[in-house]
Amino acid sequence: MTTKQKLTLYEGLTDAESRADKFRALMNTGLSWNKVMDSFDQYAALEADEAMKATEKATALAKWADKQGYTDKQKAAVKDQLKFFTIAPADAARNDALTGAGLTAEDAYTLTEAFRKLTPQEGHENV
C-alpha cells in the first residue's frame, strides 16, 4: 500500500478528520506514513505522561523531532501539527531557535527547560 492509500484507509476507518488533516500536513513535507506514525506515537506517549506539563511535553517532542534526521520543514511540521496546549509552542519555538543557532538537540532542550523554570508562571510572583 502506498502512503496515500494508507491515509485514505485511515480516513475511512475513523471519524477523526482533524487528525487525518494533521497526518496529511506531515505527509506533505515528504514524511512517509511510517514516519508520521512514529511522530504521532511519540506525541501520544508524551501526551499520556501525566507527570509532565504541556511545556515539557512540547519541548520533549521538539527534542525528539530534532534527533530524527528530518528536514527543517519536516521538524517544523511535527512541532506545529502535534501540539499539546496553546502555551507549549513558545518552548518549542525557543528550542527551535537554539538548535537553529547551532546547539545540539540535547543542549537546546537543557536550556529550554532552564528558561522555562525561570519564567514566572501565571499566578506566581518571583521571590
Side-chain angles (χ1 to χ4, degrees):
M1 232 184 219
T2 68
T3 296
K4 285 186 178 187
Q5 289 170 328
K6 290 176 184 177
L7 178 61
T8 301
L9 178 61
Y10 176 82
E11 289 173 319
L13 295 175
T14 183
D15 60 355
E17 185 177 326
S18 65
R19 187 175 296 160
D21 290 341
K22 291 177 184 303
F23 292 174
R24 184 177 296 101
L26 293 171
M27 290 167 54
N28 285 341
T29 68
L31 287 176
S32 69
W33 177 260
N34 290 342
K35 293 292 184 184
V36 169
M37 291 298 99
D38 290 346
S39 299
F40 184 74
D41 287 347
Q42 182 66 27
Y43 167 82
L46 289 167
E47 180 64 23
D49 188 342
E50 295 179 8
M52 293 178 77
K53 295 179 182 179
T55 53
E56 295 169 318
K57 293 175 184 184
T59 303
L61 182 65
K63 177 182 174 185
W64 177 86
D66 288 339
K67 291 182 173 185
Q68 299 310 301
Y70 294 167
T71 66
D72 288 343
K73 184 177 179 181
Q74 292 167 336
K75 289 187 282 190
V78 167
K79 297 168 194 176
D80 185 53
Q81 294 299 317
L82 304 177
K83 294 179 184 174
F84 295 96
F85 289 55
T86 56
I87 191 169
D91 282 337
R94 180 179 289 142
N95 190 79
D96 288 348
L98 292 170
T99 56
L103 272 66
T104 66
E106 188 68 34
D107 289 343
Y109 176 80
T110 301
L111 277 174
T112 299
E113 285 300 298
F115 288 138
R116 184 186 55 75
K117 290 176 184 174
L118 292 174
T119 304
Q121 301 298 311
E122 187 176 323
H124 296 84
E125 296 179 21
N126 285 340
V127 186

